[in-house]
Amino acid sequence: MDLETGVFQNHVKRESWKTVLTLAYQSLGVVYGDLSTSPLYVYKSTFAEDIQHSETNEEIYGVLSFVFWTLTLVPLLKYVFIVLKADDNGEGGTFALYSLLCRHARINSLPNCQVADEELYEYKRDAATTCLTPTTTFGSRLKSTLEKHRVLQRFLLLLALIGTCMVIGDGVLTPALSVFSAVSGLELSMAKEHHKYVEVPVACTILIGLFALQHYGTHRVGFLFAPVVLVWLMCISAIGIYNIIHWNPHVYQALSPYYMYKFLRKTQRGGWMSLGGILLCITGSEAMFADLGHFSQLSIKIAFTSLVYPSLILAYMGQAAYLSQHHVIDNDYHIGFYVSVPGKLRWPVLVIAILAAVVGSQAIITGTFSIIKQCSALGCFPRVKIVHTSSKIHGQIYIPEINWTLMLLCLAVTIGFRDTKRLGNASGLAVITVMLVTTCLMSLVIVLCWHKSVFLAICFVCFFGTIEVLYFSASLIKFLEGAWVPIALSLIFLIVMCVWHYGILKTYEFDVQNKVSINWLLSLGPSLGIVRVRGIGLIHTELVSGIPAIFSHFVTNLPAFHEVLVFLCIKSVPVPHVRAKERFLVGHIGPRQYRLYRCIVRYGYRDVHKDDMEFEKDLVCSVAEYIRTGNAEPNGAKDEMESEDDKMTVVGTCCTHTDGIQLREEDVDKIESAGSSELREIRSSSPVMQPRKRVRFIVPDSSKINRDAREELQELVEAREAGIAYILGHCYVRAKQGSSMLKKLVINYGYEFLRRNSRAPAYTLSVPHASTLEVGMVYSV
């Protein structure tokens, strides 16, 4: 998979209207599937218990007025015109806001951050568009307060994690609610005693099929997503217009806010509690921001304002117009979507609704995969297996463990609740909590990142926060009627995330406190006081400086090591993407003749990690390029960073320095003797053993390499031919004596359980066992 192509395609200016409209069309299937299926269950959930549909129509008109203004103020005003502008270099979502705040306030949840990370293109891009130092007095004070107080930093991280956990909870509840509501249309086509035995099995079968197909990737059927949602929107719009004209052409009067007042005056507490059902009309709005990385702001705005928003308003008006003329219906299914559909169209609409519900569920499942990957990259979720289902479309991933967990939980709530009322209560609380978190983070973005007045941030929080708190309170009051589910799910995932993040921090602190001094290494001499054997030893460490304790632990017990040692640190940085030309930081540890290198590989939280063979090649090539260029960049740019014990240089992957050293690996029996007139070669001259592959460095003739550098490259070639060994630290973490009972419980049982059952780092999954060596150590934290 070529992971470097397509990563920055979203940052290119899309000036062509054809491209923008194509993206707007494609966004229908990915972004708006969930939001567009909300008419299936909003009225049914609203009138489930708290209020009754009376002859005066005050209830149905009041609900329509609430739906209209909620759709207008939250998705249209808040998300389309304000929140979409708070993108993190083209990426959106809860963690994108958190990452944006971390960079501007210079705080970081990751322990191994470096000053050199601020020289990345994504950081500089922020600095070019907005000054990283707030210009307002309050903004400066807020920034310094966040930098000084660790408690506030942890609270900010906790807020982002709560929003993330609610997104995961939404990934459980939305597929169940959407599919169950779509299948409920069967109620009008068969006897009630038969329907109750058909509805749940059919919904469960569809859900099992949906989750079972995830590993194939959405790109295989993705071309059908947009047409399905488009047909669905056209369908509900046409039915809405028909109902308005045929049943009540004056229903538009109910859009007046006055009907909201009349509704609350008449229904009082029941009307307030029914807001939990009305809230479902904006479920899926967060997807507009969360899926921003796959599209552009303009395309998402065009799709919503020109098609999705008008279609939803017509659909809700049409249902209200029909219900305003039908107060007594023989069937128990007296309020709902299908009852307003003309009888001859119910079966075709049922099929389209089920397909649209599947598309909407697919979008939230994919979004759940994406946000868990971001959490894992930023050290807030245990490592899981991430499968990239498309080599062409960036961001399409599949996580087996999460997929099957979501499926089991989704089936459990479907079978356990068996009605849209309690499913709606549960889903509504998850949706509104995510929106509240976004509102809180956005207020900080307005002050710290946009450098606007604090008065503007307070107005934003007060206006949108008041609306969302109103809906939140109406959802929370239904705690015993289904709203406990997202709270329970979020609490479980939050505990997992906090325990994992705490364990990560403590193990890193142990590594820092127990790292070996560079002076100890220098005192050993070039041979390090041990036998140096052929080959390259890659020692994985989380440290960005110093010698890890596992190295001294190993050589103390077994005094032999490879002739070329690379201390490898693969880390994530709080930006969406790291360009290929900035991927590696390479430097010497100690004098050159020691043949000790440090290589730091940096990935953004949305980046895809390379396949192992390609990564191996890029790693060796980056070290070779560093040796060739010395302490300066090939272009003469000074892009270095000083650390406590070494000097690091930014080096790109092989594909980014085509005018530099290139690595060639060939089978011995296929090596051609013909040379090149334009390129020089550095190849192995050691006849000691016959390698399986011959390794060559192709060096441009224009490159002037001194004798020491050539000898160093020669040794690197021979070491590469001898093979690469991966030395991994295997830590057993224990709380040190004297720790509190809570800390012992978290570390000895919680973190240790998660560590044992999580995946190994991604780059080690396909490393041959014969080339892997694990060094065990007990960490007392």
Side-chain angles (χ1 to χ4, degrees):
M1 177 190 286
D2 185 6
L3 306 171
E4 309 299 349
T5 59
V7 173
F8 293 94
Q9 60 185 354
N10 298 320
H11 305 317
V12 181
K13 291 183 179 179
R14 296 182 171 93
E15 298 176 351
S16 168
W17 276 106
K18 181 180 178 181
T19 305
V20 172
L21 293 177
T22 302
L23 286 170
Y25 169 72
Q26 292 173 347
S27 70
L28 292 176
V30 177
V31 178
Y32 297 111
D34 187 15
L35 184 61
S36 65
T37 54
S38 57
L40 286 170
Y41 43 78
V42 168
Y43 282 118
K44 188 176 182 181
S45 299
T46 304
F47 287 92
E49 187 178 80
D50 302 308
I51 55 176
Q52 299 297 322
H53 179 36
S54 66
E55 295 283 347
T56 62
N57 287 327
E58 288 184 353
E59 293 86 359
I60 192 66
Y61 288 162
V63 170
L64 174 60
S65 185
F66 264 105
V67 167
F68 171 76
W69 287 105
T70 304
L71 276 171
T72 302
L73 294 177
V74 178
L76 185 64
L77 181 59
K78 177 186 172 183
Y79 280 94
V80 170
F81 291 110
I82 301 176
V83 176
L84 283 181
K85 296 179 181 178
D87 64 303
D88 184 13
N89 292 299
E91 299 294 338
T94 305
F95 257 87
L97 287 176
Y98 176 70
S99 171
L100 202 62
L101 289 170
C102 283
R103 293 206 304 278
H104 282 79
R106 297 186 186 278
I107 59 177
N108 202 339
S109 63
L110 297 169
N112 54 0
C113 55
Q114 298 169 275
V115 177
D117 296 339
E118 298 181 12
E119 296 299 316
L120 291 169
Y121 172 78
E122 302 277 355
Y123 274 94
K124 290 182 177 179
R125 186 172 173 173
D126 273 343
T129 53
T130 59
C131 177
L132 288 177
T133 304
T135 54
T136 62
T137 306
F138 181 83
S140 301
R141 288 204 303 268
L142 180 61
K143 178 177 177 292
S144 61
T145 303
L146 278 173
E147 290 175 355
K148 291 176 183 176
H149 295 86
R150 296 282 297 174
V151 175
L152 294 179
Q153 296 177 21
R154 288 169 185 158
F155 177 76
L156 193 62
L157 175 62
L158 184 65
L159 193 64
L161 291 181
I162 290 173
T164 301
C165 291
M166 282 296 179
V167 170
I168 298 172
D170 199 19
V172 173
L173 297 164
T174 294
L177 178 61
S178 299
V179 172
F180 194 87
S181 300
V183 173
S184 65
L186 294 169
E187 190 171 355
L188 296 177
S189 305
M190 59 178 64
K192 183 178 179 180
E193 58 270 15
H194 296 152
H195 169 260
K196 63 182 181 181
Y197 297 111
V198 172
E199 190 175 34
V200 173
V202 171
C204 290
T205 302
I206 293 172
L207 288 171
I208 291 172
L210 174 64
F211 284 101
L213 292 173
Q214 290 300 311
H215 72 281
Y216 291 109
T218 57
H219 67 285
R220 298 186 187 276
V221 290
F223 65 94
L224 290 175
F225 284 3
V228 166
V229 176
L230 180 61
V231 170
W232 169 250
L233 290 172
M234 294 292 101
C235 178
I236 61 176
S237 300
I239 294 172
I241 293 171
Y242 168 80
N243 285 330
I244 292 170
I245 296 173
H246 190 264
W247 296 111
N248 189 353
H250 301 289
V251 73
Y252 67 89
Q253 296 175 356
L255 301 182
S256 168
Y258 175 66
Y259 284 88
M260 290 193 291
Y261 167 73
K262 290 179 66 177
F263 170 77
L264 292 175
R265 185 181 64 182
K266 180 179 180 180
T267 57
Q268 298 183 357
R269 187 174 186 274
W272 167 63
M273 293 179 68
S274 70
L275 293 178
I278 297 172
L279 160 67
L280 297 176
C281 72
I282 54 174
T283 179
S285 300
E286 187 73 20
M288 284 193 287
F289 185 47
D291 293 326
L292 182 60
H294 298 133
F295 303 97
S296 64
Q297 290 186 26
L298 185 58
S299 63
I300 289 178
K301 289 178 179 179
I302 289 174
F304 183 78
T305 55
S306 64
L307 183 60
V308 179
Y309 178 74
S311 299
L312 290 175
I313 297 301
L314 288 173
Y316 288 117
M317 287 177 66
Q319 288 186 63
Y322 178 88
L323 294 172
S324 67
Q325 302 300 318
H326 296 79
H327 303 92
V328 180
I329 300 176
D330 295 335
N331 197 300
D332 286 340
Y333 193 98
H334 61 286
I335 299 286
F337 171 76
Y338 289 104
V339 76
S340 65
V341 177
K344 295 181 180 180
L345 296 178
R346 278 177 185 162
W347 277 106
V349 170
L350 175 65
V351 174
I352 298 171
I354 292 174
L355 292 174
V358 169
V359 170
S361 303
Q362 174 63 58
I364 192 66
I365 292 168
T366 305
T368 305
F369 291 159
S370 179
I371 200 164
I372 286 178
K373 179 184 180 296
Q374 294 178 29
C375 290
S376 182
L378 295 176
C380 296
F381 199 86
R383 289 185 294 266
V384 289
K385 181 180 181 181
I386 297 175
V387 179
H388 300 275
T389 58
S390 174
S391 60
K392 297 179 181 178
I393 304 174
H394 179 71
Q396 290 196 357
I397 60 175
Y398 165 68
I399 304 176
E401 299 96 325
I402 301 300
N403 182 65
W404 302 122
T405 302
L406 289 180
M407 187 191 78
L408 292 175
L409 292 173
C410 198
L411 291 175
V413 296
T414 303
I415 297 170
F417 287 154
R418 292 192 293 272
D419 62 23
T420 54
K421 173 193 163 188
R422 287 181 291 178
L423 282 171
N425 293 339
S427 181
L429 184 62
V431 168
I432 199 63
T433 306
V434 176
M435 292 183 176
L436 271 171
V437 170
T438 300
T439 299
C440 295
L441 294 178
M442 270 300 302
S443 64
L444 295 176
V445 168
I446 290 172
V447 176
L448 293 176
C449 306
W450 293 354
H451 314 312
K452 302 296 182 182
S453 167
V454 65
F455 176 75
L456 193 63
I458 293 173
C459 290
F460 178 85
V461 170
C462 290
F463 183 73
F464 292 108
T466 302
I467 297 171
E468 289 160 1
V469 166
L470 180 65
Y471 281 119
F472 180 79
S473 63
S475 297
L476 196 60
I477 204 69
K478 304 286 185 67
F479 181 82
L480 297 178
E481 300 172 36
W484 61 270
V485 173
I487 295 176
L489 289 175
S490 299
L491 186 61
I492 293 170
F493 280 104
L494 185 62
I495 291 172
V496 169
M497 290 180 175
C498 291
V499 167
W500 181 262
H501 186 65
Y502 180 74
I504 290 289
L505 291 179
K506 287 300 177 183
T507 53
Y508 186 80
E509 286 177 8
F510 181 89
D511 280 334
V512 171
Q513 293 167 3
N514 293 274
K515 66 182 180 181
V516 180
S517 168
I518 190 68
N519 294 326
W520 172 81
L521 191 70
L522 294 176
S523 66
L524 299 178
S527 68
L528 303 182
I530 57 177
V531 177
R532 302 293 290 269
V533 298
R534 286 169 53 82
I536 298 177
L538 289 183
I539 305 171
H540 179 260
T541 175
E542 298 296 328
L543 294 174
V544 294
S545 63
I547 308 300
I550 61 167
F551 177 74
S552 61
H553 183 67
F554 182 87
V555 297
T556 302
N557 292 278
L558 183 64
F561 232 111
H562 300 84
E563 59 184 343
V564 175
L565 289 179
V566 180
F567 291 92
L568 176 66
C569 174
I570 299 178
K571 70 171 191 173
S572 296
V573 290
V575 294
H577 304 287
V578 175
R579 296 195 298 177
K581 64 169 65 176
E582 300 173 314
R583 178 76 68 214
F584 294 94
L585 274 174
V586 186
H588 276 108
I589 297 179
R592 172 174 269 183
Q593 63 267 26
Y594 282 44
R595 303 299 188 251
L596 299 180
Y597 307 92
R598 185 183 309 284
C599 185
I600 299 172
V601 190
R602 302 177 292 184
Y603 287 98
Y605 60 79
R606 290 296 298 269
D607 275 334
V608 182
H609 289 220
K610 280 207 165 189
D611 294 333
D612 293 314
M613 296 306 296
E614 192 68 23
F615 173 77
E616 225 177 65
K617 180 180 177 182
D618 275 344
L619 179 64
V620 175
C621 203
S622 66
V623 174
E625 184 66 13
Y626 166 75
I627 294 170
R628 181 184 76 88
T629 57
N631 292 329
E633 287 290 310
N635 298 329
K638 200 78 173 174
D639 196 358
E640 304 169 346
M641 78 90 161
E642 293 279 351
S643 71
E644 60 181 282
D645 58 359
D646 52 5
K647 184 184 293 184
M648 308 290 287
T649 301
V650 176
V651 181
T653 58
C654 289
C655 61
T656 61
H657 47 75
T658 53
D659 57 340
I661 285 185
Q662 296 295 314
L663 182 66
R664 296 287 183 268
E665 296 182 353
E666 300 171 348
D667 292 332
V668 174
D669 56 353
K670 295 182 180 179
I671 295 176
E672 298 180 4
S673 58
S676 170
S677 58
E678 298 180 0
L679 299 173
R680 293 178 292 159
E681 297 180 0
I682 295 179
R683 64 172 69 189
S684 171
S685 60
S686 174
V688 175
M689 59 181 294
Q690 184 68 14
R692 288 169 294 177
K693 285 184 179 293
R694 177 62 58 85
V695 179
R696 298 180 297 159
F697 285 136
I698 310 300
V699 185
D701 269 345
S702 58
S703 177
K704 296 181 180 179
I705 304 178
N706 60 38
R707 181 180 176 183
D708 292 339
R710 180 169 288 276
E711 289 179 0
E712 197 170 355
L713 286 171
Q714 188 76 45
E715 290 187 21
L716 184 62
V717 168
E718 294 174 0
R720 178 65 187 92
E721 285 185 352
I724 295 181
Y726 294 81
I727 295 89
L728 310 175
H730 192 87
C731 60
Y732 298 88
V733 185
R734 291 287 181 270
K736 59 186 176 184
Q737 292 183 351
S739 300
S740 65
M741 185 62 69
L742 180 60
K743 183 176 180 181
K744 289 180 180 178
L745 186 66
V746 169
I747 295 295
N748 295 352
Y749 297 99
Y751 178 71
E752 186 64 16
F753 174 80
L754 293 175
R755 187 192 63 79
R756 286 177 180 274
N757 291 278
S758 64
R759 297 274 179 167
Y763 72 95
T764 65
L765 289 178
S766 58
V767 174
H769 290 294
S771 303
T772 306
L773 179 66
E774 289 192 350
V775 181
M777 280 191 69
V778 177
Y779 281 33
S780 297
V781 298

